[in-house]
PDB file of all heavy atoms in Angstrom:
ATOM      1  N   ARG J   1       0.838  -1.195   0.000  1.00  0.00           N
ATOM      2  CA  ARG J   1       0.000   0.000   0.000  1.00  0.00           C
ATOM      3  C   ARG J   1       0.881   1.257   0.000  1.00  0.00           C
ATOM      4  O   ARG J   1       0.609   2.227  -0.731  1.00  0.00           O
ATOM      5  CB  ARG J   1      -0.911  -0.034   1.220  1.00  0.00           C
ATOM      6  CG  ARG J   1      -2.049   0.965   1.201  1.00  0.00           C
ATOM      7  CD  ARG J   1      -3.162   0.564   2.158  1.00  0.00           C
ATOM      8  NE  ARG J   1      -2.655   0.261   3.488  1.00  0.00           N
ATOM      9  CZ  ARG J   1      -2.772  -0.932   4.094  1.00  0.00           C
ATOM     10  NH1 ARG J   1      -3.369  -1.938   3.467  1.00  0.00           N
ATOM     11  NH2 ARG J   1      -2.311  -1.125   5.300  1.00  0.00           N
ATOM     12  N   ALA J   2       1.936   1.236   0.811  1.00  0.00           N
ATOM     13  CA  ALA J   2       2.857   2.376   0.866  1.00  0.00           C
ATOM     14  C   ALA J   2       3.542   2.587  -0.480  1.00  0.00           C
ATOM     15  O   ALA J   2       3.712   3.719  -0.944  1.00  0.00           O
ATOM     16  CB  ALA J   2       3.898   2.162   1.965  1.00  0.00           C
ATOM     17  N   LEU J   3       3.948   1.488  -1.118  1.00  0.00           N
ATOM     18  CA  LEU J   3       4.609   1.590  -2.413  1.00  0.00           C
ATOM     19  C   LEU J   3       3.674   2.153  -3.473  1.00  0.00           C
ATOM     20  O   LEU J   3       4.058   3.005  -4.274  1.00  0.00           O
ATOM     21  CB  LEU J   3       5.131   0.219  -2.844  1.00  0.00           C
ATOM     22  CG  LEU J   3       6.337  -0.311  -2.071  1.00  0.00           C
ATOM     23  CD1 LEU J   3       6.600  -1.763  -2.434  1.00  0.00           C
ATOM     24  CD2 LEU J   3       7.566   0.536  -2.354  1.00  0.00           C
ATOM     25  N   LEU J   4       2.417   1.669  -3.470  1.00  0.00           N
ATOM     26  CA  LEU J   4       1.473   2.126  -4.482  1.00  0.00           C
ATOM     27  C   LEU J   4       1.166   3.620  -4.323  1.00  0.00           C
ATOM     28  O   LEU J   4       1.233   4.384  -5.294  1.00  0.00           O
ATOM     29  CB  LEU J   4       0.177   1.324  -4.377  1.00  0.00           C
ATOM     30  CG  LEU J   4      -0.966   1.780  -5.300  1.00  0.00           C
ATOM     31  CD1 LEU J   4      -0.536   1.681  -6.761  1.00  0.00           C
ATOM     32  CD2 LEU J   4      -2.229   0.965  -5.040  1.00  0.00           C
ATOM     33  N   LEU J   5       0.869   4.030  -3.099  1.00  0.00           N
ATOM     34  CA  LEU J   5       0.513   5.432  -2.883  1.00  0.00           C
ATOM     35  C   LEU J   5       1.697   6.361  -3.148  1.00  0.00           C
ATOM     36  O   LEU J   5       1.533   7.442  -3.727  1.00  0.00           O
ATOM     37  CB  LEU J   5      -0.015   5.620  -1.462  1.00  0.00           C
ATOM     38  CG  LEU J   5      -1.359   4.934  -1.160  1.00  0.00           C
ATOM     39  CD1 LEU J   5      -1.765   5.149   0.283  1.00  0.00           C
ATOM     40  CD2 LEU J   5      -2.446   5.436  -2.104  1.00  0.00           C
ATOM     41  N   SER J   6       2.898   5.946  -2.710  1.00  0.00           N
ATOM     42  CA  SER J   6       4.064   6.800  -2.947  1.00  0.00           C
ATOM     43  C   SER J   6       4.421   6.835  -4.432  1.00  0.00           C
ATOM     44  O   SER J   6       4.864   7.864  -4.953  1.00  0.00           O
ATOM     45  CB  SER J   6       5.259   6.310  -2.115  1.00  0.00           C
ATOM     46  OG  SER J   6       5.604   4.985  -2.438  1.00  0.00           O
ATOM     47  N   PHE J   7       4.212   5.713  -5.140  1.00  0.00           N
ATOM     48  CA  PHE J   7       4.436   5.686  -6.586  1.00  0.00           C
ATOM     49  C   PHE J   7       3.524   6.694  -7.283  1.00  0.00           C
ATOM     50  O   PHE J   7       3.965   7.490  -8.122  1.00  0.00           O
ATOM     51  CB  PHE J   7       4.176   4.283  -7.122  1.00  0.00           C
ATOM     52  CG  PHE J   7       4.136   4.187  -8.623  1.00  0.00           C
ATOM     53  CD1 PHE J   7       5.306   4.152  -9.367  1.00  0.00           C
ATOM     54  CD2 PHE J   7       2.921   4.124  -9.300  1.00  0.00           C
ATOM     55  CE1 PHE J   7       5.270   4.073 -10.756  1.00  0.00           C
ATOM     56  CE2 PHE J   7       2.872   4.043 -10.675  1.00  0.00           C
ATOM     57  CZ  PHE J   7       4.050   4.018 -11.410  1.00  0.00           C
ATOM     58  N   LEU J   8       2.241   6.680  -6.921  1.00  0.00           N
ATOM     59  CA  LEU J   8       1.290   7.605  -7.532  1.00  0.00           C
ATOM     60  C   LEU J   8       1.648   9.058  -7.211  1.00  0.00           C
ATOM     61  O   LEU J   8       1.582   9.937  -8.089  1.00  0.00           O
ATOM     62  CB  LEU J   8      -0.124   7.290  -7.052  1.00  0.00           C
ATOM     63  CG  LEU J   8      -0.702   5.947  -7.526  1.00  0.00           C
ATOM     64  CD1 LEU J   8      -2.059   5.696  -6.877  1.00  0.00           C
ATOM     65  CD2 LEU J   8      -0.812   5.907  -9.048  1.00  0.00           C
ATOM     66  N   ALA J   9       2.047   9.318  -5.959  1.00  0.00           N
ATOM     67  CA  ALA J   9       2.391  10.683  -5.559  1.00  0.00           C
ATOM     68  C   ALA J   9       3.591  11.199  -6.339  1.00  0.00           C
ATOM     69  O   ALA J   9       3.604  12.347  -6.821  1.00  0.00           O
ATOM     70  CB  ALA J   9       2.660  10.743  -4.058  1.00  0.00           C
ATOM     71  N   LEU J  10       4.626  10.367  -6.489  1.00  0.00           N
ATOM     72  CA  LEU J  10       5.816  10.809  -7.210  1.00  0.00           C
ATOM     73  C   LEU J  10       5.554  10.957  -8.711  1.00  0.00           C
ATOM     74  O   LEU J  10       6.116  11.840  -9.360  1.00  0.00           O
ATOM     75  CB  LEU J  10       6.961   9.814  -6.969  1.00  0.00           C
ATOM     76  CG  LEU J  10       7.646   9.910  -5.602  1.00  0.00           C
ATOM     77  CD1 LEU J  10       8.698   8.824  -5.455  1.00  0.00           C
ATOM     78  CD2 LEU J  10       8.280  11.283  -5.399  1.00  0.00           C
ATOM     79  N   MET J  11       4.711  10.084  -9.252  1.00  0.00           N
ATOM     80  CA  MET J  11       4.386  10.209 -10.679  1.00  0.00           C
ATOM     81  C   MET J  11       3.632  11.509 -10.948  1.00  0.00           C
ATOM     82  O   MET J  11       3.907  12.209 -11.936  1.00  0.00           O
ATOM     83  CB  MET J  11       3.554   9.003 -11.129  1.00  0.00           C
ATOM     84  CG  MET J  11       4.355   7.724 -11.288  1.00  0.00           C
ATOM     85  SD  MET J  11       5.657   7.845 -12.555  1.00  0.00           S
ATOM     86  CE  MET J  11       4.664   7.905 -14.039  1.00  0.00           C
ATOM     87  N   VAL J  12       2.671  11.841 -10.080  1.00  0.00           N
ATOM     88  CA  VAL J  12       1.943  13.105 -10.245  1.00  0.00           C
ATOM     89  C   VAL J  12       2.906  14.279 -10.122  1.00  0.00           C
ATOM     90  O   VAL J  12       2.859  15.230 -10.925  1.00  0.00           O
ATOM     91  CB  VAL J  12       0.816  13.206  -9.194  1.00  0.00           C
ATOM     92  CG1 VAL J  12       0.224  14.616  -9.185  1.00  0.00           C
ATOM     93  CG2 VAL J  12      -0.279  12.183  -9.490  1.00  0.00           C
ATOM     94  N   THR J  13       3.799  14.215  -9.142  1.00  0.00           N
ATOM     95  CA  THR J  13       4.787  15.283  -8.959  1.00  0.00           C
ATOM     96  C   THR J  13       5.654  15.443 -10.202  1.00  0.00           C
ATOM     97  O   THR J  13       5.873  16.561 -10.702  1.00  0.00           O
ATOM     98  CB  THR J  13       5.683  14.975  -7.750  1.00  0.00           C
ATOM     99  OG1 THR J  13       4.882  14.914  -6.564  1.00  0.00           O
ATOM    100  CG2 THR J  13       6.764  16.032  -7.580  1.00  0.00           C
ATOM    101  N   ALA J  14       6.163  14.314 -10.724  1.00  0.00           N
ATOM    102  CA  ALA J  14       7.042  14.356 -11.895  1.00  0.00           C
ATOM    103  C   ALA J  14       6.299  14.854 -13.128  1.00  0.00           C
ATOM    104  O   ALA J  14       6.863  15.600 -13.950  1.00  0.00           O
ATOM    105  CB  ALA J  14       7.635  12.972 -12.149  1.00  0.00           C
ATOM    106  N   LEU J  15       5.047  14.458 -13.303  1.00  0.00           N
ATOM    107  CA  LEU J  15       4.277  14.899 -14.471  1.00  0.00           C
ATOM    108  C   LEU J  15       4.016  16.405 -14.412  1.00  0.00           C
ATOM    109  O   LEU J  15       4.067  17.092 -15.444  1.00  0.00           O
ATOM    110  CB  LEU J  15       2.961  14.123 -14.541  1.00  0.00           C
ATOM    111  CG  LEU J  15       3.088  12.649 -14.962  1.00  0.00           C
ATOM    112  CD1 LEU J  15       1.754  11.931 -14.809  1.00  0.00           C
ATOM    113  CD2 LEU J  15       3.599  12.540 -16.400  1.00  0.00           C
ATOM    114  N   ILE J  16       3.728  16.941 -13.226  1.00  0.00           N
ATOM    115  CA  ILE J  16       3.554  18.390 -13.083  1.00  0.00           C
ATOM    116  C   ILE J  16       4.845  19.112 -13.448  1.00  0.00           C
ATOM    117  O   ILE J  16       4.844  20.113 -14.189  1.00  0.00           O
ATOM    118  CB  ILE J  16       3.136  18.737 -11.637  1.00  0.00           C
ATOM    119  CG1 ILE J  16       1.719  18.218 -11.352  1.00  0.00           C
ATOM    120  CG2 ILE J  16       3.198  20.250 -11.401  1.00  0.00           C
ATOM    121  CD1 ILE J  16       1.303  18.380  -9.902  1.00  0.00           C
ATOM    122  N   GLN J  17       5.971  18.573 -12.946  1.00  0.00           N
ATOM    123  CA  GLN J  17       7.257  19.199 -13.259  1.00  0.00           C
ATOM    124  C   GLN J  17       7.568  19.105 -14.756  1.00  0.00           C
ATOM    125  O   GLN J  17       8.117  20.041 -15.340  1.00  0.00           O
ATOM    126  CB  GLN J  17       8.364  18.532 -12.446  1.00  0.00           C
ATOM    127  CG  GLN J  17       8.312  18.847 -10.957  1.00  0.00           C
ATOM    128  CD  GLN J  17       9.471  18.225 -10.210  1.00  0.00           C
ATOM    129  OE1 GLN J  17       9.788  17.050 -10.389  1.00  0.00           O
ATOM    130  NE2 GLN J  17      10.107  19.013  -9.359  1.00  0.00           N
ATOM    131  N   LEU J  18       7.244  17.959 -15.367  1.00  0.00           N
ATOM    132  CA  LEU J  18       7.519  17.789 -16.796  1.00  0.00           C
ATOM    133  C   LEU J  18       6.753  18.805 -17.635  1.00  0.00           C
ATOM    134  O   LEU J  18       7.280  19.343 -18.621  1.00  0.00           O
ATOM    135  CB  LEU J  18       7.138  16.372 -17.220  1.00  0.00           C
ATOM    136  CG  LEU J  18       7.474  15.983 -18.666  1.00  0.00           C
ATOM    137  CD1 LEU J  18       8.983  16.058 -18.895  1.00  0.00           C
ATOM    138  CD2 LEU J  18       6.958  14.578 -18.975  1.00  0.00           C
ATOM    139  N   ALA J  19       5.520  19.084 -17.235  1.00  0.00           N
ATOM    140  CA  ALA J  19       4.728  20.091 -17.950  1.00  0.00           C
ATOM    141  C   ALA J  19       5.392  21.458 -17.842  1.00  0.00           C
ATOM    142  O   ALA J  19       5.417  22.227 -18.824  1.00  0.00           O
ATOM    143  CB  ALA J  19       3.307  20.139 -17.379  1.00  0.00           C
ATOM    144  N   VAL J  20       5.938  21.786 -16.690  1.00  0.00           N
ATOM    145  CA  VAL J  20       6.616  23.067 -16.511  1.00  0.00           C
ATOM    146  C   VAL J  20       7.906  23.109 -17.323  1.00  0.00           C
ATOM    147  O   VAL J  20       8.269  24.147 -17.892  1.00  0.00           O
ATOM    148  CB  VAL J  20       6.888  23.330 -15.016  1.00  0.00           C
ATOM    149  CG1 VAL J  20       7.665  24.619 -14.827  1.00  0.00           C
ATOM    150  CG2 VAL J  20       5.583  23.373 -14.233  1.00  0.00           C
ATOM    151  N   VAL J  21       8.633  21.972 -17.393  1.00  0.00           N
ATOM    152  CA  VAL J  21       9.853  21.902 -18.200  1.00  0.00           C
ATOM    153  C   VAL J  21       9.533  22.232 -19.658  1.00  0.00           C
ATOM    154  O   VAL J  21      10.277  22.951 -20.343  1.00  0.00           O
ATOM    155  CB  VAL J  21      10.490  20.498 -18.106  1.00  0.00           C
ATOM    156  CG1 VAL J  21      11.582  20.334 -19.163  1.00  0.00           C
ATOM    157  CG2 VAL J  21      11.081  20.284 -16.727  1.00  0.00           C
ATOM    158  N   ALA J  22       8.410  21.718 -20.139  1.00  0.00           N
ATOM    159  CA  ALA J  22       8.027  21.920 -21.538  1.00  0.00           C
ATOM    160  C   ALA J  22       7.822  23.392 -21.870  1.00  0.00           C
ATOM    161  O   ALA J  22       8.116  23.839 -22.993  1.00  0.00           O
ATOM    162  CB  ALA J  22       6.765  21.127 -21.847  1.00  0.00           C
ATOM    163  N   VAL J  23       7.324  24.169 -20.912  1.00  0.00           N
ATOM    164  CA  VAL J  23       7.047  25.585 -21.195  1.00  0.00           C
ATOM    165  C   VAL J  23       8.180  26.509 -20.765  1.00  0.00           C
ATOM    166  O   VAL J  23       8.253  27.662 -21.207  1.00  0.00           O
ATOM    167  CB  VAL J  23       5.731  26.044 -20.506  1.00  0.00           C
ATOM    168  CG1 VAL J  23       4.563  25.231 -21.022  1.00  0.00           C
ATOM    169  CG2 VAL J  23       5.837  25.955 -18.996  1.00  0.00           C
ATOM    170  N   SER J  24       9.081  26.017 -19.906  1.00  0.00           N
ATOM    171  CA  SER J  24      10.130  26.893 -19.373  1.00  0.00           C
ATOM    172  C   SER J  24      11.506  26.614 -19.946  1.00  0.00           C
ATOM    173  O   SER J  24      12.326  27.524 -20.091  1.00  0.00           O
ATOM    174  CB  SER J  24      10.196  26.756 -17.845  1.00  0.00           C
ATOM    175  OG  SER J  24      10.683  25.475 -17.473  1.00  0.00           O
ATOM    176  N   GLY J  25      11.808  25.343 -20.245  1.00  0.00           N
ATOM    177  CA  GLY J  25      13.129  24.978 -20.731  1.00  0.00           C
ATOM    178  C   GLY J  25      14.185  24.908 -19.653  1.00  0.00           C
ATOM    179  O   GLY J  25      15.383  24.895 -19.956  1.00  0.00           O
ATOM    180  N   SER J  26      13.813  24.812 -18.380  1.00  0.00           N
ATOM    181  CA  SER J  26      14.785  24.771 -17.278  1.00  0.00           C
ATOM    182  C   SER J  26      15.463  23.411 -17.211  1.00  0.00           C
ATOM    183  O   SER J  26      14.807  22.378 -17.042  1.00  0.00           O
ATOM    184  CB  SER J  26      14.083  25.061 -15.945  1.00  0.00           C
ATOM    185  OG  SER J  26      14.948  24.784 -14.861  1.00  0.00           O
ATOM    186  N   VAL J  27      16.795  23.388 -17.330  1.00  0.00           N
ATOM    187  CA  VAL J  27      17.525  22.124 -17.257  1.00  0.00           C
ATOM    188  C   VAL J  27      17.592  21.617 -15.820  1.00  0.00           C
ATOM    189  O   VAL J  27      17.581  20.408 -15.568  1.00  0.00           O
ATOM    190  CB  VAL J  27      18.942  22.269 -17.852  1.00  0.00           C
ATOM    191  CG1 VAL J  27      19.819  23.152 -16.981  1.00  0.00           C
ATOM    192  CG2 VAL J  27      19.595  20.900 -18.022  1.00  0.00           C
ATOM    193  N   ALA J  28      17.671  22.540 -14.849  1.00  0.00           N
ATOM    194  CA  ALA J  28      17.687  22.111 -13.452  1.00  0.00           C
ATOM    195  C   ALA J  28      16.390  21.379 -13.107  1.00  0.00           C
ATOM    196  O   ALA J  28      16.397  20.340 -12.449  1.00  0.00           O
ATOM    197  CB  ALA J  28      17.883  23.306 -12.520  1.00  0.00           C
ATOM    198  N   LEU J  29      15.280  21.943 -13.589  1.00  0.00           N
ATOM    199  CA  LEU J  29      14.000  21.295 -13.330  1.00  0.00           C
ATOM    200  C   LEU J  29      13.900  19.984 -14.100  1.00  0.00           C
ATOM    201  O   LEU J  29      13.330  19.000 -13.593  1.00  0.00           O
ATOM    202  CB  LEU J  29      12.856  22.227 -13.730  1.00  0.00           C
ATOM    203  CG  LEU J  29      11.442  21.718 -13.432  1.00  0.00           C
ATOM    204  CD1 LEU J  29      11.279  21.425 -11.943  1.00  0.00           C
ATOM    205  CD2 LEU J  29      10.396  22.730 -13.889  1.00  0.00           C
ATOM    206  N   LEU J  30      14.450  19.926 -15.318  1.00  0.00           N
ATOM    207  CA  LEU J  30      14.441  18.684 -16.093  1.00  0.00           C
ATOM    208  C   LEU J  30      15.205  17.589 -15.361  1.00  0.00           C
ATOM    209  O   LEU J  30      14.749  16.440 -15.279  1.00  0.00           O
ATOM    210  CB  LEU J  30      15.054  18.918 -17.471  1.00  0.00           C
ATOM    211  CG  LEU J  30      15.197  17.669 -18.354  1.00  0.00           C
ATOM    212  CD1 LEU J  30      13.839  17.040 -18.614  1.00  0.00           C
ATOM    213  CD2 LEU J  30      15.896  18.016 -19.662  1.00  0.00           C
ATOM    214  N   VAL J  31      16.374  17.947 -14.825  1.00  0.00           N
ATOM    215  CA  VAL J  31      17.173  16.982 -14.072  1.00  0.00           C
ATOM    216  C   VAL J  31      16.380  16.448 -12.877  1.00  0.00           C
ATOM    217  O   VAL J  31      16.337  15.237 -12.616  1.00  0.00           O
ATOM    218  CB  VAL J  31      18.498  17.624 -13.596  1.00  0.00           C
ATOM    219  CG1 VAL J  31      19.201  16.718 -12.586  1.00  0.00           C
ATOM    220  CG2 VAL J  31      19.413  17.890 -14.782  1.00  0.00           C
ATOM    221  N   ASP J  32      15.738  17.362 -12.151  1.00  0.00           N
ATOM    222  CA  ASP J  32      14.952  16.950 -10.990  1.00  0.00           C
ATOM    223  C   ASP J  32      13.767  16.087 -11.412  1.00  0.00           C
ATOM    224  O   ASP J  32      13.410  15.116 -10.738  1.00  0.00           O
ATOM    225  CB  ASP J  32      14.471  18.188 -10.237  1.00  0.00           C
ATOM    226  CG  ASP J  32      13.950  17.852  -8.847  1.00  0.00           C
ATOM    227  OD1 ASP J  32      14.630  17.089  -8.131  1.00  0.00           O
ATOM    228  OD2 ASP J  32      12.873  18.339  -8.485  1.00  0.00           O
ATOM    229  N   THR J  33      13.156  16.422 -12.542  1.00  0.00           N
ATOM    230  CA  THR J  33      12.018  15.649 -13.044  1.00  0.00           C
ATOM    231  C   THR J  33      12.438  14.235 -13.402  1.00  0.00           C
ATOM    232  O   THR J  33      11.749  13.253 -13.076  1.00  0.00           O
ATOM    233  CB  THR J  33      11.406  16.348 -14.270  1.00  0.00           C
ATOM    234  OG1 THR J  33      11.007  17.668 -13.919  1.00  0.00           O
ATOM    235  CG2 THR J  33      10.208  15.572 -14.794  1.00  0.00           C
ATOM    236  N   ILE J  34      13.563  14.119 -14.098  1.00  0.00           N
ATOM    237  CA  ILE J  34      14.078  12.794 -14.461  1.00  0.00           C
ATOM    238  C   ILE J  34      14.297  11.949 -13.219  1.00  0.00           C
ATOM    239  O   ILE J  34      13.929  10.763 -13.163  1.00  0.00           O
ATOM    240  CB  ILE J  34      15.397  12.922 -15.256  1.00  0.00           C
ATOM    241  CG1 ILE J  34      15.133  13.534 -16.639  1.00  0.00           C
ATOM    242  CG2 ILE J  34      16.076  11.562 -15.403  1.00  0.00           C
ATOM    243  CD1 ILE J  34      16.397  13.898 -17.393  1.00  0.00           C
ATOM    244  N   HIS J  35      14.891  12.579 -12.205  1.00  0.00           N
ATOM    245  CA  HIS J  35      15.173  11.826 -10.990  1.00  0.00           C
ATOM    246  C   HIS J  35      13.889  11.429 -10.267  1.00  0.00           C
ATOM    247  O   HIS J  35      13.796  10.337  -9.697  1.00  0.00           O
ATOM    248  CB  HIS J  35      16.077  12.647 -10.068  1.00  0.00           C
ATOM    249  CG  HIS J  35      16.749  11.825  -9.023  1.00  0.00           C
ATOM    250  ND1 HIS J  35      17.389  10.638  -9.302  1.00  0.00           N
ATOM    251  CD2 HIS J  35      16.872  12.001  -7.684  1.00  0.00           C
ATOM    252  CE1 HIS J  35      17.877  10.133  -8.189  1.00  0.00           C
ATOM    253  NE2 HIS J  35      17.571  10.934  -7.194  1.00  0.00           N
ATOM    254  N   ASN J  36      12.883  12.281 -10.293  1.00  0.00           N
ATOM    255  CA  ASN J  36      11.616  11.930  -9.654  1.00  0.00           C
ATOM    256  C   ASN J  36      10.916  10.786 -10.370  1.00  0.00           C
ATOM    257  O   ASN J  36      10.294   9.926  -9.737  1.00  0.00           O
ATOM    258  CB  ASN J  36      10.696  13.161  -9.588  1.00  0.00           C
ATOM    259  CG  ASN J  36      11.056  14.078  -8.436  1.00  0.00           C
ATOM    260  OD1 ASN J  36      11.551  13.633  -7.404  1.00  0.00           O
ATOM    261  ND2 ASN J  36      10.833  15.377  -8.611  1.00  0.00           N
ATOM    262  N   PHE J  37      11.009  10.761 -11.706  1.00  0.00           N
ATOM    263  CA  PHE J  37      10.468   9.614 -12.437  1.00  0.00           C
ATOM    264  C   PHE J  37      11.193   8.327 -12.032  1.00  0.00           C
ATOM    265  O   PHE J  37      10.572   7.282 -11.831  1.00  0.00           O
ATOM    266  CB  PHE J  37      10.610   9.827 -13.954  1.00  0.00           C
ATOM    267  CG  PHE J  37       9.459  10.555 -14.580  1.00  0.00           C
ATOM    268  CD1 PHE J  37       9.649  11.756 -15.231  1.00  0.00           C
ATOM    269  CD2 PHE J  37       8.165  10.032 -14.523  1.00  0.00           C
ATOM    270  CE1 PHE J  37       8.582  12.430 -15.813  1.00  0.00           C
ATOM    271  CE2 PHE J  37       7.097  10.694 -15.098  1.00  0.00           C
ATOM    272  CZ  PHE J  37       7.309  11.905 -15.755  1.00  0.00           C
ATOM    273  N   ALA J  38      12.529   8.411 -11.928  1.00  0.00           N
ATOM    274  CA  ALA J  38      13.308   7.236 -11.522  1.00  0.00           C
ATOM    275  C   ALA J  38      12.929   6.793 -10.115  1.00  0.00           C
ATOM    276  O   ALA J  38      12.819   5.592  -9.836  1.00  0.00           O
ATOM    277  CB  ALA J  38      14.801   7.549 -11.591  1.00  0.00           C
TER     278      ALA J  38
END
C-alpha cells in the first residue's frame, strides 16, 4: 500500500514538473524531473 501510494504521488509530482519543463526549458527542473520519475 505504501509503495502504491508513494508511486502515484511521485508520478503526479514528476508529471507536473515535466509540464513546466516543456514551457520553461529549465535544465535544473528537467534533471529533478528525471530523478523523480526514476
Side-chain angles (χ1 to χ4, degrees):
R1 193 160 51 241
L3 288 170
L4 175 60
L5 293 178
S6 59
F7 170 79
L8 293 175
L10 284 177
M11 285 298 290
V12 170
T13 298
L15 288 172
I16 292 173
Q17 289 183 313
L18 185 61
V20 177
V21 168
V23 299
S24 69
S26 169
V27 69
L29 184 58
L30 176 60
V31 169
D32 194 46
T33 302
I34 291 171
H35 198 47
N36 280 330
F37 272 120

